[in-house]
Amino acid sequence: MPTSPESATNPGLFEAVVNLCKRRGFVFPSAEIYGGIRSTYDYGPLGALMLRNVREAWWRAMIQERDDVVPIDAAILTNPRVWEASGHLATFTDPLVDCRNCKERWRADQIEGVCLNCGSRDLTEARPFNLMFKTYVGPVEAESSVAYLRPETAQGMFVNFLNVLTTTRRKPPFGIAQIGRAFRNEITPGNFVFRTREFELMELEFFVPPADSPRWHEYWCDQRLAWYRRYGIASEKLRLRPHETEELSHYSAATTDVEFLFPWGWGELEGIANRTDFDLRAHQEASGTSLEYFDQATGESYLPHVVEPAAGATRAMMAFLLAAYDEDEIGGERRAVLRLHPRLAPYQVAVLPLSKKDTLAPVSRDVLHRLQRHFMCEFDETQSIGRRYRRQDEIGTPYCVTIDFESLEDQQVTVRDRDSTEQTRLPIEDVVPHLSGRLGN
Ligand code: GAP
């Protein structure tokens, strides 16, 4: 992984965010009461909300705001011939070495000939290790019932190309998009949710006339970079990095990564590949079904080329958290604050009655119910108001709505802004339109 001088400088940030994730309920080690399972995580209440918001932000930009992309939701287990044709059975491998001294296993390309566990140079020759998880479909564990958990969602879109083409009457350029779980038996997972064996992918396969693919590749690089900026990552923490020829995946003619400056250095957030007609051609040959598009305007049939922006939702969530984490001082008191984009924050609004007294309950519940129809809200009436504000700052809630005893008289509430801590007094009637206007998209 390439690093830069300004990176490797911030281990404190990584620790602070990992710690916050556990303490506040974003991410838990999986099955912790059984000692966990290496590099596998469960998403807690706040993590489940935020991951959903990351997916929705992607869906909004890639599907909802366009008229040339349609979604699908394909199966995780599919016919194993898909993985044979796609090249994953033969080439979806990492080079694996064993340390003869301590028996630890490593990806040869990540350790420069030295075991990171014991420092020994006594390593085996590198051999290819297939990253796909193998399982059996049905009750018989035979070669004929072998199936694989998908290592990418992309193939679900290639094998459905014809179905989508005919049912939606699309023509290139158009895209098929999908969000879903993917599984890779990574040799060295790590860095929290950066590299895990189960993760979530957000992928677009954009089918174009062959000659247009370089132009579309450039277009999607720009679009995807802009998406991370739109949701709050500063430009200086993002860059585009074209792959060297020897780095390219087996299907790619050109790939550019969107990279983020993680606390340990620049790391991949997303790969934008020009997959040419590699996949459609492979499935056409293996299945015997023509996957060509007939262009009525020119009277020609051709296999479209594919430009693929493929992003990790779980990895993107981690980058958004790292980019948003901040510490500052309010009224002489230090606070941790997640300056998340309002659409990514687990809760958009916290409803906070100043006191637990019954007199405030009806109006507080009324405010909560009005807001819940539009935003994800948390209701909190415990502890001092200052502590509740700190808690909401730390989990990134952009707005707190406070109900006090005066609210009973004047039907007004106070809206507090997470970033500036500014407070605005507003009629209850105006709170929903006011916040809708400030939440952005
Ligand atoms: N269909 C193309 C494809 O899957 P990829 O570069 O292998 O491309 C796309 O994966 C994105 O998925 C990566 O940029 C990364 O964000 C995420 N990703 C890949 N492996 C991952 C892992 N083991 N854990 C978490 N995220 C991962």
Side-chain angles (χ1 to χ4, degrees):
M1 190 180 300
T3 53
S4 69
E6 74 268 38
S7 67
T9 56
N10 213 345
L13 170 64
F14 183 63
E15 258 165 55
V17 169
V18 171
N19 184 294
L20 189 152
C21 281
K22 173 78 201 299
R23 198 160 31 85
R24 292 300 194 195
F26 281 86
V27 180
F28 305 126
S30 187
E32 205 178 7
I33 58 168
Y34 287 102
I37 167 167
R38 196 172 153 211
S39 294
T40 304
Y41 296 92
D42 296 333
Y43 289 78
L46 298 186
L49 288 169
M50 185 170 169
L51 192 53
R52 179 167 179 264
N53 292 342
V54 171
R55 287 187 208 113
E56 282 196 355
W58 187 88
W59 189 281
R60 192 175 304 124
M62 303 298 273
I63 300 168
Q64 184 179 322
E65 293 174 358
R66 305 187 63 94
D67 57 8
D68 55 1
V69 177
V70 292
I72 67 161
D73 196 339
I76 288 174
L77 287 174
T78 187
N79 190 318
R81 289 182 61 202
V82 169
W83 307 114
E84 200 181 318
S86 68
H88 282 81
L89 263 180
T91 52
F92 193 58
T93 57
D94 275 341
L96 172 76
V97 291
D98 289 297
C99 171
R100 289 201 182 89
N101 183 42
C102 72
K103 311 296 177 220
E104 196 68 39
R105 294 189 147 173
W106 300 104
R107 252 177 73 172
D109 56 335
Q110 285 182 342
I111 62 166
E112 292 172 3
V114 185
C115 173
L116 299 183
N117 188 39
C118 71
S120 169
R121 289 181 176 273
D122 189 8
L123 307 173
T124 59
E125 282 294 301
R127 60 190 185 285
F129 172 74
N130 196 294
L131 299 183
M132 284 198 294
F133 279 99
K134 206 176 190 178
T135 186
Y136 298 93
V137 171
V140 183
E141 292 196 5
E143 223 16 62
S144 58
S145 53
V146 164
Y148 299 92
L149 301 190
R150 67 179 177 200
E152 61 171 14
T153 67
Q155 298 304 322
M157 297 183 264
F158 297 129
V159 298
N160 278 296
F161 171 68
L162 214 52
N163 285 336
V164 174
L165 198 65
T166 49
T167 54
T168 63
R169 291 177 297 127
R170 298 277 157 171
K171 59 179 193 175
F174 84 100
I176 309 179
Q178 171 166 219
I179 300 177
R181 292 272 159 162
F183 304 83
R184 297 180 190 177
N185 200 0
E186 301 279 3
I187 299 166
T188 42
N191 279 341
F192 196 43
V193 298
F194 179 82
R195 191 180 306 285
T196 49
R197 296 199 170 99
E198 173 179 349
F199 59 98
E200 195 149 311
L201 271 174
M202 309 186 288
E203 295 196 286
L204 167 69
E205 308 305 322
F206 201 72
F207 301 89
V208 302
D212 297 348
S213 66
R215 186 167 63 79
W216 280 108
H217 186 242
E218 216 171 287
Y219 167 86
W220 280 112
C221 288
D222 293 344
Q223 289 289 310
R224 296 304 304 146
L225 192 64
W227 184 80
Y228 291 99
R229 288 205 197 107
R230 171 175 170 183
Y231 287 101
I233 302 185
S235 296
E236 60 271 19
K237 294 214 161 162
L238 291 168
R239 72 176 187 191
L240 289 173
R241 187 183 69 82
H243 279 207
E244 305 292 338
T245 316
E246 62 275 10
E247 275 182 88
L248 292 174
S249 312
H250 63 275
Y251 49 71
S252 176
T255 296
T256 298
D257 286 345
V258 180
E259 292 192 335
F260 172 70
L261 189 57
F262 285 93
W264 59 85
W266 288 101
E268 174 185 342
L269 276 181
E270 160 160 4
I272 301 144
N274 181 348
R275 290 182 83 128
T276 67
D277 61 2
F278 178 92
D279 302 272
L280 289 182
R281 187 172 296 284
H283 289 303
Q284 175 169 277
E285 278 166 18
S287 67
T289 304
S290 168
L291 299 179
E292 289 195 333
Y293 169 72
F294 175 67
D295 188 341
Q296 285 184 332
T298 62
E300 282 174 21
S301 292
Y302 66 88
L303 277 176
H305 281 208
V306 171
V307 176
E308 174 197 70
T314 37
R315 196 177 284 186
M317 175 173 145
M318 182 176 169
F320 284 124
L321 284 169
L322 287 164
Y325 186 85
D326 193 15
E327 289 175 11
D328 64 3
E329 218 174 273
I330 300 293
E333 205 192 312
R334 280 204 76 69
R335 70 165 180 169
V337 53
L338 280 182
R339 300 190 192 278
L340 287 170
H341 187 287
R343 295 266 174 207
L344 297 184
Y347 294 108
Q348 280 70 58
V349 188
V351 176
L352 311 175
L354 198 61
S355 148
K356 258 175 125 169
K357 288 218 171 75
D358 287 348
T359 39
L360 285 188
V363 62
S364 302
R365 291 277 161 194
D366 171 49
V367 171
L368 175 68
H369 293 148
R370 285 170 187 251
L371 288 163
Q372 274 176 328
R373 290 196 197 111
H374 305 270
F375 316 111
M376 195 70 213
C377 300
E378 188 171 57
F379 187 79
D380 185 4
E381 51 181 5
T382 58
Q383 300 185 319
S384 75
I385 192 70
R387 290 186 73 150
R388 280 183 278 165
Y389 283 152
R390 288 299 95 80
R391 192 186 120 75
Q392 295 302 329
D393 291 342
E394 202 183 17
I395 66 172
T397 310
Y399 301 105
C400 291
V401 173
T402 309
I403 296 99
D404 54 30
F405 290 100
E406 246 171 80
S407 306
L408 301 174
E409 311 297 320
D410 64 5
Q411 294 295 303
Q412 295 205 5
V413 290
T414 304
V415 175
R416 173 188 179 270
D417 180 290
R418 172 196 71 199
D419 295 332
S420 65
T421 73
E422 251 171 44
Q423 305 198 5
T424 317
R425 192 95 183 144
L426 283 180
I428 289 172
E429 285 295 323
D430 295 348
V431 175
V432 167
H434 175 81
L435 290 180
S436 298
R438 289 175 71 175
L439 276 164
N441 57 23

PDB file of all heavy atoms in Angstrom, residues 288-309:
ATOM      1  N   GLY A 288     -23.209 -20.184 -24.128  1.00  0.00           N
ATOM      2  CA  GLY A 288     -23.752 -20.407 -25.474  1.00  0.00           C
ATOM      3  C   GLY A 288     -24.910 -19.476 -25.792  1.00  0.00           C
ATOM      4  O   GLY A 288     -25.604 -19.658 -26.801  1.00  0.00           O
ATOM      5  N   THR A 289     -25.152 -18.472 -24.935  1.00  0.00           N
ATOM      6  CA  THR A 289     -26.228 -17.495 -25.179  1.00  0.00           C
ATOM      7  C   THR A 289     -25.624 -16.197 -25.698  1.00  0.00           C
ATOM      8  O   THR A 289     -24.696 -15.667 -25.063  1.00  0.00           O
ATOM      9  CB  THR A 289     -26.970 -17.195 -23.843  1.00  0.00           C
ATOM     10  OG1 THR A 289     -27.428 -18.420 -23.309  1.00  0.00           O
ATOM     11  CG2 THR A 289     -28.135 -16.250 -24.044  1.00  0.00           C
ATOM     12  N   SER A 290     -26.140 -15.704 -26.805  1.00  0.00           N
ATOM     13  CA  SER A 290     -25.601 -14.442 -27.323  1.00  0.00           C
ATOM     14  C   SER A 290     -25.964 -13.302 -26.374  1.00  0.00           C
ATOM     15  O   SER A 290     -27.120 -13.145 -25.985  1.00  0.00           O
ATOM     16  CB  SER A 290     -26.178 -14.138 -28.707  1.00  0.00           C
ATOM     17  OG  SER A 290     -25.849 -12.803 -29.041  1.00  0.00           O
ATOM     18  N   LEU A 291     -24.973 -12.525 -26.007  1.00  0.00           N
ATOM     19  CA  LEU A 291     -25.217 -11.381 -25.127  1.00  0.00           C
ATOM     20  C   LEU A 291     -24.982 -10.068 -25.877  1.00  0.00           C
ATOM     21  O   LEU A 291     -24.779  -9.016 -25.279  1.00  0.00           O
ATOM     22  CB  LEU A 291     -24.316 -11.473 -23.886  1.00  0.00           C
ATOM     23  CG  LEU A 291     -24.539 -12.721 -23.008  1.00  0.00           C
ATOM     24  CD1 LEU A 291     -23.590 -12.736 -21.820  1.00  0.00           C
ATOM     25  CD2 LEU A 291     -25.991 -12.801 -22.509  1.00  0.00           C
ATOM     26  N   GLU A 292     -25.027 -10.151 -27.203  1.00  0.00           N
ATOM     27  CA  GLU A 292     -24.785  -8.957 -28.011  1.00  0.00           C
ATOM     28  C   GLU A 292     -26.002  -8.034 -27.987  1.00  0.00           C
ATOM     29  O   GLU A 292     -27.143  -8.495 -27.844  1.00  0.00           O
ATOM     30  CB  GLU A 292     -24.482  -9.358 -29.453  1.00  0.00           C
ATOM     31  CG  GLU A 292     -23.115 -10.012 -29.581  1.00  0.00           C
ATOM     32  CD  GLU A 292     -22.648 -10.096 -31.015  1.00  0.00           C
ATOM     33  OE1 GLU A 292     -23.524 -10.151 -31.913  1.00  0.00           O
ATOM     34  OE2 GLU A 292     -21.427 -10.109 -31.226  1.00  0.00           O
ATOM     35  N   TYR A 293     -25.712  -6.766 -28.136  1.00  0.00           N
ATOM     36  CA  TYR A 293     -26.777  -5.771 -28.258  1.00  0.00           C
ATOM     37  C   TYR A 293     -26.946  -5.421 -29.734  1.00  0.00           C
ATOM     38  O   TYR A 293     -25.961  -5.150 -30.427  1.00  0.00           O
ATOM     39  CB  TYR A 293     -26.413  -4.519 -27.446  1.00  0.00           C
ATOM     40  CG  TYR A 293     -27.320  -3.362 -27.744  1.00  0.00           C
ATOM     41  CD1 TYR A 293     -28.635  -3.351 -27.287  1.00  0.00           C
ATOM     42  CD2 TYR A 293     -26.871  -2.288 -28.509  1.00  0.00           C
ATOM     43  CE1 TYR A 293     -29.485  -2.301 -27.587  1.00  0.00           C
ATOM     44  CE2 TYR A 293     -27.708  -1.231 -28.809  1.00  0.00           C
ATOM     45  CZ  TYR A 293     -29.018  -1.244 -28.357  1.00  0.00           C
ATOM     46  OH  TYR A 293     -29.853  -0.208 -28.660  1.00  0.00           O
ATOM     47  N   PHE A 294     -28.199  -5.450 -30.206  1.00  0.00           N
ATOM     48  CA  PHE A 294     -28.453  -5.087 -31.601  1.00  0.00           C
ATOM     49  C   PHE A 294     -28.835  -3.608 -31.660  1.00  0.00           C
ATOM     50  O   PHE A 294     -29.846  -3.187 -31.092  1.00  0.00           O
ATOM     51  CB  PHE A 294     -29.570  -5.951 -32.196  1.00  0.00           C
ATOM     52  CG  PHE A 294     -29.929  -5.530 -33.592  1.00  0.00           C
ATOM     53  CD1 PHE A 294     -29.023  -5.690 -34.644  1.00  0.00           C
ATOM     54  CD2 PHE A 294     -31.168  -4.945 -33.865  1.00  0.00           C
ATOM     55  CE1 PHE A 294     -29.348  -5.271 -35.936  1.00  0.00           C
ATOM     56  CE2 PHE A 294     -31.503  -4.532 -35.152  1.00  0.00           C
ATOM     57  CZ  PHE A 294     -30.581  -4.697 -36.190  1.00  0.00           C
ATOM     58  N   ASP A 295     -27.991  -2.832 -32.298  1.00  0.00           N
ATOM     59  CA  ASP A 295     -28.231  -1.391 -32.411  1.00  0.00           C
ATOM     60  C   ASP A 295     -29.075  -1.127 -33.664  1.00  0.00           C
ATOM     61  O   ASP A 295     -28.583  -1.245 -34.789  1.00  0.00           O
ATOM     62  CB  ASP A 295     -26.877  -0.673 -32.501  1.00  0.00           C
ATOM     63  CG  ASP A 295     -27.045   0.844 -32.431  1.00  0.00           C
ATOM     64  OD1 ASP A 295     -28.164   1.336 -32.679  1.00  0.00           O
ATOM     65  OD2 ASP A 295     -26.055   1.513 -32.133  1.00  0.00           O
ATOM     66  N   GLN A 296     -30.338  -0.754 -33.432  1.00  0.00           N
ATOM     67  CA  GLN A 296     -31.250  -0.568 -34.570  1.00  0.00           C
ATOM     68  C   GLN A 296     -30.819   0.598 -35.459  1.00  0.00           C
ATOM     69  O   GLN A 296     -31.025   0.583 -36.668  1.00  0.00           O
ATOM     70  CB  GLN A 296     -32.669  -0.344 -34.078  1.00  0.00           C
ATOM     71  CG  GLN A 296     -33.272  -1.651 -33.605  1.00  0.00           C
ATOM     72  CD  GLN A 296     -34.719  -1.511 -33.198  1.00  0.00           C
ATOM     73  OE1 GLN A 296     -35.136  -0.440 -32.788  1.00  0.00           O
ATOM     74  NE2 GLN A 296     -35.468  -2.595 -33.291  1.00  0.00           N
ATOM     75  N   ALA A 297     -30.195   1.596 -34.848  1.00  0.00           N
ATOM     76  CA  ALA A 297     -29.794   2.779 -35.618  1.00  0.00           C
ATOM     77  C   ALA A 297     -28.743   2.432 -36.667  1.00  0.00           C
ATOM     78  O   ALA A 297     -28.788   2.925 -37.794  1.00  0.00           O
ATOM     79  CB  ALA A 297     -29.254   3.850 -34.664  1.00  0.00           C
ATOM     80  N   THR A 298     -27.781   1.566 -36.311  1.00  0.00           N
ATOM     81  CA  THR A 298     -26.686   1.258 -37.258  1.00  0.00           C
ATOM     82  C   THR A 298     -26.873  -0.110 -37.913  1.00  0.00           C
ATOM     83  O   THR A 298     -26.141  -0.461 -38.836  1.00  0.00           O
ATOM     84  CB  THR A 298     -25.320   1.237 -36.526  1.00  0.00           C
ATOM     85  OG1 THR A 298     -25.372   0.180 -35.545  1.00  0.00           O
ATOM     86  CG2 THR A 298     -25.018   2.556 -35.849  1.00  0.00           C
ATOM     87  N   GLY A 299     -27.799  -0.916 -37.394  1.00  0.00           N
ATOM     88  CA  GLY A 299     -28.003  -2.270 -37.912  1.00  0.00           C
ATOM     89  C   GLY A 299     -26.891  -3.227 -37.510  1.00  0.00           C
ATOM     90  O   GLY A 299     -26.762  -4.324 -38.061  1.00  0.00           O
ATOM     91  N   GLU A 300     -26.081  -2.826 -36.502  1.00  0.00           N
ATOM     92  CA  GLU A 300     -24.963  -3.690 -36.069  1.00  0.00           C
ATOM     93  C   GLU A 300     -25.221  -4.276 -34.694  1.00  0.00           C
ATOM     94  O   GLU A 300     -25.882  -3.672 -33.857  1.00  0.00           O
ATOM     95  CB  GLU A 300     -23.674  -2.860 -35.981  1.00  0.00           C
ATOM     96  CG  GLU A 300     -23.047  -2.594 -37.326  1.00  0.00           C
ATOM     97  CD  GLU A 300     -21.860  -1.645 -37.201  1.00  0.00           C
ATOM     98  OE1 GLU A 300     -21.300  -1.518 -36.090  1.00  0.00           O
ATOM     99  OE2 GLU A 300     -21.540  -1.025 -38.228  1.00  0.00           O
ATOM    100  N   SER A 301     -24.648  -5.491 -34.498  1.00  0.00           N
ATOM    101  CA  SER A 301     -24.687  -6.105 -33.169  1.00  0.00           C
ATOM    102  C   SER A 301     -23.288  -6.014 -32.558  1.00  0.00           C
ATOM    103  O   SER A 301     -22.299  -6.159 -33.267  1.00  0.00           O
ATOM    104  CB  SER A 301     -25.058  -7.579 -33.264  1.00  0.00           C
ATOM    105  OG  SER A 301     -26.384  -7.699 -33.682  1.00  0.00           O
ATOM    106  N   TYR A 302     -23.237  -5.766 -31.259  1.00  0.00           N
ATOM    107  CA  TYR A 302     -21.909  -5.736 -30.609  1.00  0.00           C
ATOM    108  C   TYR A 302     -22.032  -6.090 -29.135  1.00  0.00           C
ATOM    109  O   TYR A 302     -23.121  -5.991 -28.547  1.00  0.00           O
ATOM    110  CB  TYR A 302     -21.254  -4.363 -30.783  1.00  0.00           C
ATOM    111  CG  TYR A 302     -21.962  -3.217 -30.080  1.00  0.00           C
ATOM    112  CD1 TYR A 302     -21.665  -2.885 -28.760  1.00  0.00           C
ATOM    113  CD2 TYR A 302     -22.940  -2.460 -30.739  1.00  0.00           C
ATOM    114  CE1 TYR A 302     -22.306  -1.840 -28.115  1.00  0.00           C
ATOM    115  CE2 TYR A 302     -23.586  -1.411 -30.101  1.00  0.00           C
ATOM    116  CZ  TYR A 302     -23.261  -1.099 -28.796  1.00  0.00           C
ATOM    117  OH  TYR A 302     -23.900  -0.068 -28.153  1.00  0.00           O
ATOM    118  N   LEU A 303     -20.905  -6.519 -28.563  1.00  0.00           N
ATOM    119  CA  LEU A 303     -20.842  -6.727 -27.117  1.00  0.00           C
ATOM    120  C   LEU A 303     -20.439  -5.403 -26.479  1.00  0.00           C
ATOM    121  O   LEU A 303     -19.362  -4.874 -26.786  1.00  0.00           O
ATOM    122  CB  LEU A 303     -19.790  -7.784 -26.770  1.00  0.00           C
ATOM    123  CG  LEU A 303     -20.214  -9.242 -26.862  1.00  0.00           C
ATOM    124  CD1 LEU A 303     -19.008 -10.154 -26.579  1.00  0.00           C
ATOM    125  CD2 LEU A 303     -21.355  -9.579 -25.914  1.00  0.00           C
ATOM    126  N   PRO A 304     -21.283  -4.851 -25.624  1.00  0.00           N
ATOM    127  CA  PRO A 304     -20.910  -3.577 -24.995  1.00  0.00           C
ATOM    128  C   PRO A 304     -19.669  -3.738 -24.120  1.00  0.00           C
ATOM    129  O   PRO A 304     -19.387  -4.828 -23.630  1.00  0.00           O
ATOM    130  CB  PRO A 304     -22.123  -3.251 -24.116  1.00  0.00           C
ATOM    131  CG  PRO A 304     -23.238  -4.059 -24.654  1.00  0.00           C
ATOM    132  CD  PRO A 304     -22.631  -5.292 -25.237  1.00  0.00           C
ATOM    133  N   HIS A 305     -18.926  -2.650 -23.955  1.00  0.00           N
ATOM    134  CA  HIS A 305     -17.845  -2.621 -22.972  1.00  0.00           C
ATOM    135  C   HIS A 305     -18.412  -2.090 -21.652  1.00  0.00           C
ATOM    136  O   HIS A 305     -19.456  -1.443 -21.639  1.00  0.00           O
ATOM    137  CB  HIS A 305     -16.697  -1.754 -23.463  1.00  0.00           C
ATOM    138  CG  HIS A 305     -15.835  -2.467 -24.468  1.00  0.00           C
ATOM    139  ND1 HIS A 305     -14.510  -2.185 -24.644  1.00  0.00           N
ATOM    140  CD2 HIS A 305     -16.133  -3.472 -25.339  1.00  0.00           C
ATOM    141  CE1 HIS A 305     -14.006  -2.984 -25.582  1.00  0.00           C
ATOM    142  NE2 HIS A 305     -14.968  -3.761 -26.022  1.00  0.00           N
ATOM    143  N   VAL A 306     -17.701  -2.408 -20.574  1.00  0.00           N
ATOM    144  CA  VAL A 306     -18.245  -2.094 -19.253  1.00  0.00           C
ATOM    145  C   VAL A 306     -17.265  -1.247 -18.448  1.00  0.00           C
ATOM    146  O   VAL A 306     -16.088  -1.593 -18.324  1.00  0.00           O
ATOM    147  CB  VAL A 306     -18.533  -3.406 -18.481  1.00  0.00           C
ATOM    148  CG1 VAL A 306     -18.898  -3.106 -17.031  1.00  0.00           C
ATOM    149  CG2 VAL A 306     -19.656  -4.177 -19.154  1.00  0.00           C
ATOM    150  N   VAL A 307     -17.780  -0.134 -17.916  1.00  0.00           N
ATOM    151  CA  VAL A 307     -17.011   0.646 -16.949  1.00  0.00           C
ATOM    152  C   VAL A 307     -17.648   0.406 -15.587  1.00  0.00           C
ATOM    153  O   VAL A 307     -18.869   0.508 -15.439  1.00  0.00           O
ATOM    154  CB  VAL A 307     -17.006   2.147 -17.303  1.00  0.00           C
ATOM    155  CG1 VAL A 307     -16.287   2.952 -16.227  1.00  0.00           C
ATOM    156  CG2 VAL A 307     -16.345   2.353 -18.663  1.00  0.00           C
ATOM    157  N   GLU A 308     -16.810   0.052 -14.623  1.00  0.00           N
ATOM    158  CA  GLU A 308     -17.323  -0.399 -13.330  1.00  0.00           C
ATOM    159  C   GLU A 308     -16.741   0.397 -12.164  1.00  0.00           C
ATOM    160  O   GLU A 308     -15.592   0.192 -11.786  1.00  0.00           O
ATOM    161  CB  GLU A 308     -16.953  -1.871 -13.121  1.00  0.00           C
ATOM    162  CG  GLU A 308     -17.310  -2.382 -11.739  1.00  0.00           C
ATOM    163  CD  GLU A 308     -16.599  -3.671 -11.398  1.00  0.00           C
ATOM    164  OE1 GLU A 308     -15.370  -3.657 -11.200  1.00  0.00           O
ATOM    165  OE2 GLU A 308     -17.264  -4.712 -11.333  1.00  0.00           O
ATOM    166  N   PRO A 309     -17.538   1.299 -11.551  1.00  0.00           N
ATOM    167  CA  PRO A 309     -17.128   1.852 -10.256  1.00  0.00           C
ATOM    168  C   PRO A 309     -17.584   0.883  -9.157  1.00  0.00           C
ATOM    169  O   PRO A 309     -18.775   0.610  -9.026  1.00  0.00           O
ATOM    170  CB  PRO A 309     -17.898   3.172 -10.156  1.00  0.00           C
ATOM    171  CG  PRO A 309     -18.607   3.349 -11.474  1.00  0.00           C
ATOM    172  CD  PRO A 309     -18.729   1.995 -12.093  1.00  0.00           C
TER     173      PRO A 309
END
